[in-house]
Amino acid sequence: MQTTTRVAIIGGGVVGASVLYHLTKLGWSDVMLLERSELTSGSTWHAAGGFHTLNGDTNMAALQGYTIRLYKELEEITGVSCGLHHVGGVTLADSQDRFDMLLAERAKHRFMGLETEIVTPEEIAKIAPVTNTDGIIGGLYDPLDGHLDPSGTTHAYAKAARMGGAQIHTHTMVRETNQRPDGTWDVVTDKGTVHAEHVVNAGGLWAREVGAMASVHFPLHPMEHQYLVTEDVPLIVEMAKDGVEHPHVMDPAGESYLRQEGKGLCIGFYEQTCRPWAVGGTSWDFGQDLLPNDFDKIEQSIDFAYKRFPDLERAGVKNVIHGPFTFAPDGNPLVGPVPGMRNYWSACGVMAGFSQGGGVGLMLAQWMVEGEPERDVMAMDVARFGDWITPGYTLPKVIENYQKRFSVAYPNEELPAARPTRTTPMYDIFSDMGAVWGQQFGLEVANYFAQSGDPDYETPSFRRSDAFDATAREVNAVRTSVGINEVHNFGKYLVTGPRARAWLDRIMAGRVPRRGRISLTPMLSPKGKLIGDFTMSCLGAETFQLTASYGSQAFHYRWFLQHQEDGVTIKNISDKRNGFQVAGPRARDVLQACTLTDVTEMKFLDVWPMTVGMTDCIVQRVSYTGDLGFEIYCDPMAQRQLWHTLWHAGADHGMAPFGMRAMMSLRLDKFFGSWMAEFSPDYTAAETGLDRFISWKKNTDFIGRTAAEAERATGPARQLTAFEVDADDADVHGYEPIWLDGAVVGFCTSGGYSHHAQKSVALGFLPTDQIAEGRAVEIEILGQMRPARVITTPLFDADGARMRG
């Protein structure tokens, strides 16, 4: 066995084989896969082998589309059959909420180029005649759905990789992964040690155990999953005589998926009475094994399936497949460079390996070879979970995700498992004030404050929710008097040292502020894509505070550490510095009542040290509400005292608490973008308008400068703009297509209702040459074409007089 390699991939399932192939496809031939047993051992060999494009995240759906289209290419390259059956598939809706979800997904597919269509119960009966359509409202048909041979597909990846120069060693047990001081790895196996520049954990069921060898905890857990294969079904036999194969059917109400298998049917379940597997760890002795049949846990699911698919009840069971596969807490894969590690990569938690494996392999290979993937992969980035996550948190979240695999995914839904996990000192105070909580990155965040008559639980919906009135009240408080909320859900970083300013000049595209001032800046990838939207505060000659998205802190901190230099110290202080935002026309009056400092002298974008009440604070003159406002940061140990000071002073000025629902409405008044909606690695600074914060004059070759200047010279083909929408009872949430002259020309990034302007607002991309004040377009919301108009003047404080005054 070769003793050195550029990349050592641990795990020979479909994901490991896909990563191996894609690395060779991108030019890295000195790569190796190590598998302790045979290829496909673990979860791959017993998978049902279905594939589909439906996914709530558009980038994940696009990668699933790539994966499906890749299979024919693999067959052509290798001559190995993947056993493809492109039979199409229909997802059923038996309630208006389920149908709304399908309408929303169909709308997304329009601008993605996926040819799905909404079908009626009558059409479903013709497309999938095994289905009893009683109670069905409609469905979503996808011609790309199908199934394949798991073993053949994995071996096709493997052969294609070998043709590109890769080595595959089966029956080779990895026992240790030890990092050398230079960042490379010694991978110790039972057949010798391999020195690798990079290690990829594609361990599947053993990803936790492989990670533990490098002292890395992966938030994964295996779940038992069971599907049945029937004897011949007369209807399927008759269809086969005409050379017709029955399409897939997904029945969310019955938590089941169904497809043809031979001349019978295969049906699998995501039952509520699910069971986690290998809670204490996966045994190394487990391989191409199955679990004992367990009909008890799927008894209710089978009863429901007999009603939806009556032919099942008349068919005998020929085979039962009951095996484990892994989930992450949100059901998406864990892919990318592991935070805090050098040259250690994750390709784990890919529970839908034959829908997602090709896309996972491509993105990870691009990341390794080219330095960044071609699209936003935050939905599957391993950095979307922080170092606070534990097995005790992971298990209940994985169970919840399994149970909700086929549930309606609402844009305003807050899932309850393993909560509250992380709270600030304000949690009980805000709870007593009626806070209705959401969560971000495991942290409890107040969505709104319920008063008498308000719901203390926001009902999930695709339409305007029952928190509408409470949100309107909080928006009004901010715009007419003063509101207060926490600043805990900002990621915060302290950058210090003699090289701090020079380092920030290189990392950030914007101007590094002078002492006592703030600047806003994009952070760019080498290809000019947005990877951050930051506020930079200069607290001293060698001391800076950065603030950005709380949920992306592991992503951003990983980037900082990857580019750290001598003379620069970077600390993630996201949970070590907290405080409040006060915003509204009376915000200055409240702050002045709490401090001896003359805050009337504080200019917009100033940052001052200040004693507020008894608490030493850092105060910034800035507000995401777009109003007159201040961000007040303190030690969390002093936060409750600071609260009492501000709340007491605010009583004379009509102060009210406000939550994130109000914040998201307030920012629409000013057309302010939101991270991972308007601003993400899918877009550039010029496309989003953040190029106005780039310091083109600074004499620094900041990361992404070449790409940004090239786009500056030509101009972007599309740009972010705002729309006023003639909405009914549903507003834009994101990815709704924008129509002009009967064609889809753009898409929405986010939207909602401006309670201040009493208008429905959307933000989205249009071709640059089509953007003009009043331009009439249509936005498809839940299957309805809603008239909309381009608006270029903010709905509040258009000249910035109040925000800057």
Side-chain angles (χ1 to χ4, degrees):
M1 183 172 70
Q2 184 175 315
T3 58
T4 61
T5 186
R6 192 169 198 172
V7 182
I9 299 170
I10 303 172
V14 65
V15 175
S18 172
V19 174
L20 190 73
Y21 162 66
H22 282 93
L23 285 171
T24 63
K25 186 176 183 179
L26 295 184
W28 282 14
S29 58
D30 181 17
V31 292
M32 177 186 297
L33 186 147
L34 304 171
E35 165 56 45
R36 68 179 184 87
S37 183
E38 298 284 355
L39 294 181
T40 77
S41 296
S43 296
T44 296
W45 76 273
H46 62 70
F51 52 79
H52 57 87
T53 58
L54 188 64
N55 192 292
D57 182 275
T58 55
N59 280 300
M60 290 299 298
L63 291 175
Q64 290 176 196
Y66 165 81
T67 300
I68 294 167
R69 289 186 287 268
L70 176 64
Y71 292 134
K72 287 185 179 179
E73 179 183 329
L74 281 176
E75 289 184 328
E76 292 170 358
I77 292 172
T78 64
V80 176
S81 172
C82 293
L84 292 175
H85 295 258
H86 277 287
V87 296
V90 62
T91 302
L92 308 177
D94 69 337
S95 69
Q96 187 59 50
D97 277 0
R98 293 190 194 281
F99 195 56
D100 282 350
M101 184 177 77
L102 297 184
L103 291 171
E105 290 304 308
R106 172 63 188 110
K108 294 177 187 178
H109 294 166
R110 291 190 194 278
F111 73 84
M112 294 172 62
L114 297 175
E115 299 300 325
T116 58
E117 60 180 297
I118 297 294
V119 288
T120 66
E122 294 74 22
E123 290 170 319
I124 293 169
K126 294 177 182 178
I127 295 168
V130 76
T131 308
N132 173 11
T133 59
D134 289 350
I136 297 298
I137 296 175
L140 180 71
Y141 178 73
D142 186 347
L144 280 181
D145 277 14
H147 58 276
L148 45 66
D149 169 25
S151 178
T153 301
T154 305
H155 284 278
Y157 276 123
K159 183 174 181 180
R162 285 192 180 103
M163 292 168 67
Q167 294 188 36
I168 297 175
H169 297 280
T170 57
H171 299 284
T172 303
M173 177 73 178
V174 174
R175 300 193 185 280
E176 299 176 22
T177 55
N178 302 315
Q179 192 164 39
R180 296 185 180 185
D182 64 357
T184 62
W185 292 85
D186 286 326
V187 182
V188 181
T189 79
D190 58 354
K191 294 182 178 177
T193 297
V194 177
H195 181 213
E197 182 180 349
H198 300 272
V199 169
V200 177
N201 182 345
L205 290 176
W206 296 269
R208 294 173 298 171
E209 286 70 27
V210 172
M213 296 178 187
S215 299
V216 178
H217 167 67
F218 286 94
L220 300 166
H221 201 91
M223 296 292 294
E224 298 180 3
H225 184 66
Q226 197 163 203
Y227 65 90
L228 317 176
V229 179
T230 73
E231 302 284 357
D232 289 359
V233 172
L235 175 62
I236 302 300
V237 172
E238 288 302 310
M239 292 177 66
K241 291 179 181 178
D242 298 325
V244 177
E245 188 170 356
H246 197 282
H248 287 205
V249 183
M250 287 206 295
D251 181 23
E255 301 160 337
S256 70
Y257 58 88
L258 175 141
R259 66 170 176 83
Q260 182 174 332
E261 175 69 20
K263 294 182 180 179
L265 294 169
C266 167
I267 185 166
F269 306 100
Y270 285 87
E271 68 284 354
Q272 294 300 299
T273 54
C274 59
R275 294 201 180 104
W277 181 79
V279 174
T282 305
S283 170
W284 292 111
D285 295 330
F286 191 84
Q288 293 190 331
D289 302 294
L290 291 175
L291 308 177
N293 297 342
D294 189 347
F295 291 107
D296 289 344
K297 70 172 179 158
I298 60 172
E299 182 179 4
Q300 292 182 343
S301 299
I302 292 174
D303 288 344
F304 194 99
Y306 284 166
K307 296 180 179 67
R308 181 71 73 215
F309 311 111
D311 289 273
L312 281 174
E313 190 170 12
R314 297 186 287 270
V317 175
K318 180 169 69 175
N319 204 0
V320 180
I321 307 297
H322 190 202
F325 64 123
T326 55
F327 278 85
D330 59 3
N332 279 340
L334 298 174
V335 179
V338 174
M341 305 291 288
R342 292 174 64 190
N343 298 343
Y344 193 96
W345 305 79
S346 175
C348 306
V350 190
M351 54 76 53
F354 293 98
S355 290
Q356 300 172 343
V360 166
L362 175 65
M363 292 300 101
L364 187 61
Q366 288 179 345
W367 218 331
M368 298 177 73
V369 175
E370 300 172 2
E372 60 184 287
E374 68 185 51
R375 62 172 63 244
D376 171 19
V377 294
M378 184 61 77
M380 64 179 183
D381 191 335
V382 66
R384 71 185 184 276
F385 297 109
D387 57 11
W388 51 268
I389 202 166
T390 65
Y393 174 91
T394 299
L395 180 57
K397 294 303 289 187
V398 165
I399 292 172
E400 177 184 64
N401 186 269
Y402 185 99
Q403 292 171 327
K404 295 185 70 65
R405 174 73 176 155
F406 280 158
S407 297
V408 178
Y410 298 95
N412 67 327
E413 186 172 22
E414 298 286 355
L415 301 178
R419 292 179 54 199
T421 297
R422 307 177 73 230
T423 62
T424 74
M426 289 302 298
Y427 184 77
D428 60 333
I429 293 176
F430 277 174
S431 293
D432 290 343
M433 296 177 71
V436 178
W437 296 97
Q439 71 84 33
Q440 184 183 26
F441 204 63
L443 180 68
E444 294 297 312
V445 178
N447 281 336
Y448 66 94
F449 291 81
Q451 295 184 5
S452 177
D454 296 327
D456 58 8
Y457 167 78
E458 183 181 11
T459 304
S461 177
F462 286 93
R463 301 171 191 275
R464 289 175 186 161
S465 82
D466 49 9
F468 189 83
D469 291 341
T471 302
R473 182 178 62 246
E474 293 174 15
V475 166
N476 182 64
V478 173
R479 290 289 185 243
T480 61
S481 53
V482 60
I484 185 169
N485 72 352
E486 281 192 275
V487 290
H488 60 322
N489 59 332
F490 287 152
K492 311 170 196 80
Y493 314 89
L494 191 65
V495 181
T496 60
R499 292 278 302 161
R501 177 174 291 274
W503 182 79
L504 286 169
D505 241 344
R506 184 174 71 86
I507 292 294
M508 300 295 179
R511 176 183 54 82
V512 181
R514 67 180 185 272
R515 186 169 186 164
R517 291 288 289 168
I518 296 168
S519 68
L520 308 178
T521 176
M523 185 167 70
L524 306 180
S525 75
K527 295 181 180 180
K529 296 300 181 103
L530 290 173
I531 56 173
D533 166 33
F534 281 83
T535 299
M536 273 195 294
S537 308
C538 183
L539 307 181
E542 298 181 355
T543 304
F544 297 83
Q545 176 177 283
L546 309 178
T547 55
S549 165
Y550 186 86
S552 294
Q553 63 183 269
F555 169 79
H556 286 142
Y557 193 51
R558 178 181 64 193
W559 182 260
F560 294 153
L561 294 183
Q562 286 172 344
H563 294 84
Q564 189 171 9
E565 300 172 356
D566 291 341
V568 180
T569 300
I570 310 151
K571 294 181 180 179
N572 182 353
I573 59 168
S574 298
D575 299 318
K576 294 180 174 61
R577 190 164 286 176
N578 206 342
F580 302 96
Q581 173 184 201
V582 291
R586 308 301 298 274
R588 182 185 286 114
D589 299 330
V590 172
L591 182 58
Q592 188 63 78
C594 303
T595 182
L596 298 177
T597 303
D598 183 2
V599 298
T600 62
E601 297 297 315
M602 193 174 194
K603 300 181 179 63
F604 182 62
L605 299 183
D606 273 352
V607 54
W608 289 3
M610 192 181 300
T611 300
V612 181
M614 295 190 293
T615 308
D616 286 336
C617 300
I618 296 168
V619 180
Q620 303 192 152
R621 174 75 194 283
V622 68
S623 173
Y624 190 50
T625 66
D627 215 313
L628 169 66
F630 301 86
E631 292 174 356
I632 308 168
Y633 295 93
C634 68
D635 185 324
M637 293 292 287
Q639 187 183 7
R640 291 168 71 99
Q641 175 58 45
L642 178 61
W643 162 259
H644 291 302
T645 298
L646 293 168
W647 186 245
H648 177 75
D652 294 334
H653 301 283
M655 178 181 277
F658 69 102
M660 288 305 297
R661 296 286 186 256
M663 179 75 87
M664 289 296 102
S665 176
L666 290 160
R667 61 106 183 177
L668 289 174
D669 298 340
K670 298 281 284 186
F671 309 156
F672 286 170
S674 177
W675 180 247
M676 294 313 298
E678 285 67 48
F679 310 139
S680 87
D682 275 336
Y683 315 130
T684 66
E687 290 175 331
T688 58
L690 288 184
D691 56 336
R692 68 188 183 277
F693 298 119
I694 291 179
S695 179
W696 302 106
K697 294 181 179 179
K698 69 178 183 179
N699 187 26
T700 307
D701 187 20
F702 58 82
I703 296 173
R705 180 164 195 157
T706 300
E709 287 187 332
E711 186 172 40
R712 186 188 187 198
T714 60
R718 63 182 182 183
Q719 282 186 294
L720 188 67
T721 191
F723 305 86
E724 179 184 339
V725 187
D726 292 342
D728 185 12
D729 63 343
D731 302 300
V732 159
H733 292 292
Y735 297 111
E736 292 84 354
I738 302 171
W739 295 74
L740 181 63
D741 299 328
V744 175
V745 296
F747 62 93
C748 297
T749 51
S750 73
Y753 191 78
S754 164
H755 290 277
H756 168 74
Q758 297 186 9
K759 294 178 179 180
S760 184
V761 178
L763 301 176
F765 285 103
L766 272 186
T768 303
D769 59 4
Q770 296 296 327
I771 299 174
E773 178 69 34
R775 169 79 68 191
V777 299
E778 291 181 302
I779 297 177
E780 184 178 352
I781 303 176
L782 299 182
Q784 295 186 354
M785 305 296 282
R786 308 303 305 184
R789 294 161 297 285
V790 171
I791 50 177
T792 56
T793 302
L795 302 174
F796 168 76
D797 192 31
D799 60 0
R802 192 149 110 183
M803 182 175 68
R804 294 182 171 86

